[in-house]
Amino acid sequence: MKALVAPLDWGLGHATRCAPIVREFLEKGCDVELSVTRGNAAILREMFPDVRQRLAPSYNIVYPKHGYNMAFWLLRNSAHLNAVMRAEHHYAEEMVERHGYDILVSDNRFAFRSRKAKSVYMTHQCRIAFPKMFRMFEAFGAAWHASVMSRFDEVWVPDVPEFPGYAGKLSHVDSCPRPLKFVGPLSRFSMLPDLVPATQSAAKDLDVVAVVSGVEPARSRFELRLRSVLSQIPGKHVVILGKPASSQKTWTEGNVTFYNHLPTQEFAEVISRAGWVISRGGYSTVMDMALLGAHCIFVPTPGQYEQVVLAADLSAAGYAVSMEEDALTVDSLKGALQRTDVVELPRQSKNTLLSDAVTQILRRT
């Protein structure tokens, strides 16, 4: 059996959360290859150096400077997005024809499917949330996404079936054109041996670890703000810049140590030493931090409303602090770091959801 796994290239989270899927197929004796772009190839090669990679069409997403322009940006670039979708569908069909894949797994790549292979679509956003000012268009977004999902054979949701799970109303919906198959929260850190005991016993010798992620120009803007704020707060801090394609580099500026990138094991070790972690509120990050048992301050990417919803829900439950990017200042961060009413994200017990999903699709292929 041969499978091709293709993560979306809107940030690295889609790539990292595919790691457990790749591992599961490999452990079940499947021949696995990866469909990558230049943006996510390096981190996937680091995790799976022996897995063959094939270059796929890129969405080439560059977020608008102001988040409130995102809806208009999508409308203005709809022709480009549709062109990429047509290209990736043609690419998927060609890959199946040329290389004989039996299974395609698309992590949010909207048209990565083939009529000649079992095609799986994975998303945590079965419901696409819209800001209040654009709520009138949410039904259109739901209809469009339902159309996308209906063209696949299966829909996998990286969450637990019990509400609210980690994604709440985004992943738990009343209706879907395909039965939802919950595969449990997915994190690359689940592949590390004896991870939980190690993180629980680690000394908290770092005050703040900040993780920079996402696409430009939002990624660089977040980095600059963190540099400015953390340099003015006493303590020992680390900033992980999220640049896996760059050569690994470490340097210190005042009380802040910077890493271009950290491999999975070293990343987990640094997070385990942090009193607090500041990061974007992407769903892959939420799953990672829950597994690592981190105390989190989530700063949603402006324009990515699903991050706003996730951060707000986790904050309301007392599992994290939510803070808008414009509100991230020296004073506001000092106040957040002094809070004692926030507990770590809840850890999920081990389950066989992903293993069962992979076993079932292999049997049906």
Side-chain angles (χ1 to χ4, degrees):
M1 205 70 69
K2 194 172 183 179
L4 183 63
V5 179
L8 184 67
D9 59 328
W10 293 18
L12 296 178
H14 292 280
T16 58
R17 75 185 189 183
C18 282
I21 294 175
V22 174
R23 178 190 60 179
E24 197 64 45
F25 275 108
L26 289 172
E27 289 183 349
K28 287 181 167 47
C30 194
D31 182 8
V32 184
E33 294 183 359
L34 286 160
S35 181
V36 303
T37 67
R38 289 181 175 85
N40 58 29
I43 195 166
L44 288 166
R45 186 176 296 109
E46 175 190 298
M47 292 186 286
F48 300 102
D50 299 324
V51 173
R52 183 168 188 170
Q53 296 187 349
R54 299 190 184 276
L55 192 63
S58 172
Y59 276 78
N60 291 318
I61 295 300
V62 177
Y63 279 90
K65 181 177 180 180
H66 301 291
Y68 54 78
N69 286 330
M70 191 62 187
F72 299 109
W73 183 95
L74 287 170
L75 288 173
R76 188 167 60 251
N77 288 273
S78 59
H80 164 73
L81 296 176
N82 286 329
V84 176
M85 289 172 61
R86 288 193 298 270
E88 76 173 355
H89 179 54
H90 176 76
Y91 166 85
E93 294 283 13
E94 183 181 9
M95 288 295 101
V96 171
E97 186 70 28
R98 291 175 59 184
H99 304 292
Y101 298 109
D102 304 290
I103 300 169
L104 300 182
V105 179
S106 163
D107 184 344
N108 262 116
R109 293 203 66 131
F110 307 122
F112 195 87
R113 65 186 189 278
S114 172
R115 292 164 293 182
K116 299 179 181 179
K118 283 287 185 182
S119 300
V120 176
Y121 180 72
M122 187 170 75
T123 183
H124 69 280
Q125 292 188 71
C126 301
R127 166 188 171 241
I128 300 178
F130 278 58
K132 288 182 180 179
M133 67 179 70
F134 299 111
R135 191 63 52 81
M136 67 184 74
F137 299 111
E138 192 166 294
F140 294 100
W144 175 83
H145 203 204
S147 176
V148 167
M149 291 187 284
S150 69
R151 295 183 172 97
F152 288 80
D153 296 299
E154 295 189 10
V155 175
W156 290 3
V157 180
D159 202 348
V160 292
E162 298 80 19
F163 183 83
Y166 288 101
K169 293 180 180 178
L170 295 179
S171 63
H172 297 77
V173 295
D174 295 329
S175 62
C176 184
R178 290 284 183 269
L180 300 183
K181 186 170 290 185
F182 288 89
V183 295
L186 304 178
S187 170
R188 57 176 165 152
F189 300 108
S190 65
M191 300 191 299
L192 299 177
D194 302 321
L195 172 67
V196 174
T199 57
Q200 288 177 335
S201 61
K204 304 296 183 182
D205 60 342
L206 298 174
D207 293 281
V208 175
V209 171
V211 181
V212 185
S213 60
V215 296
E216 299 294 357
R219 196 213 67 82
S220 291
R221 188 175 61 242
F222 188 39
E223 175 189 335
L224 291 175
R225 184 173 288 267
L226 288 168
R227 282 174 176 269
S228 173
V229 171
L230 289 177
S231 66
Q232 301 177 66
I233 293 180
K236 187 177 181 181
H237 314 309
V238 164
V239 177
I240 304 171
L241 296 175
K243 296 180 177 180
S246 304
S247 58
Q248 194 168 340
K249 183 180 177 183
T250 305
W251 70 98
T252 299
E253 299 176 9
N255 63 334
V256 185
T257 299
F258 292 85
Y259 296 92
N260 265 3
H261 169 66
L262 283 176
T264 301
Q265 180 71 53
E266 289 87 340
F267 189 107
E269 291 171 356
V270 168
I271 295 296
S272 71
R273 294 163 52 199
W276 286 88
V277 175
I278 304 176
S279 71
R280 291 304 198 187
Y283 187 59
S284 297
T285 300
V286 170
M287 293 189 289
D288 287 344
M289 294 304 132
L291 185 64
L292 296 174
H295 285 78
C296 296
I297 299 171
F298 290 125
V299 184
T301 303
Q304 290 194 252
Y305 191 62
E306 82 282 356
Q307 292 193 15
V308 176
V309 172
L310 284 170
D313 287 349
L314 292 169
S315 176
Y319 294 138
V321 175
S322 176
M323 187 180 299
E324 292 184 7
E325 184 177 285
D326 289 343
L328 178 58
T329 64
V330 173
D331 290 339
S332 66
L333 184 54
K334 282 182 177 179
L337 298 178
Q338 293 171 1
R339 288 182 58 171
T340 59
D341 59 326
V342 178
V343 299
E344 66 183 36
L345 290 161
R347 287 189 174 111
Q348 285 292 327
S349 57
K350 290 186 177 180
N351 60 71
T352 62
L353 293 170
L354 177 59
S355 178
D356 293 344
V358 172
T359 297
Q360 289 167 11
I361 196 167
L362 288 173
R363 287 175 178 171
R364 293 169 184 168
T365 302

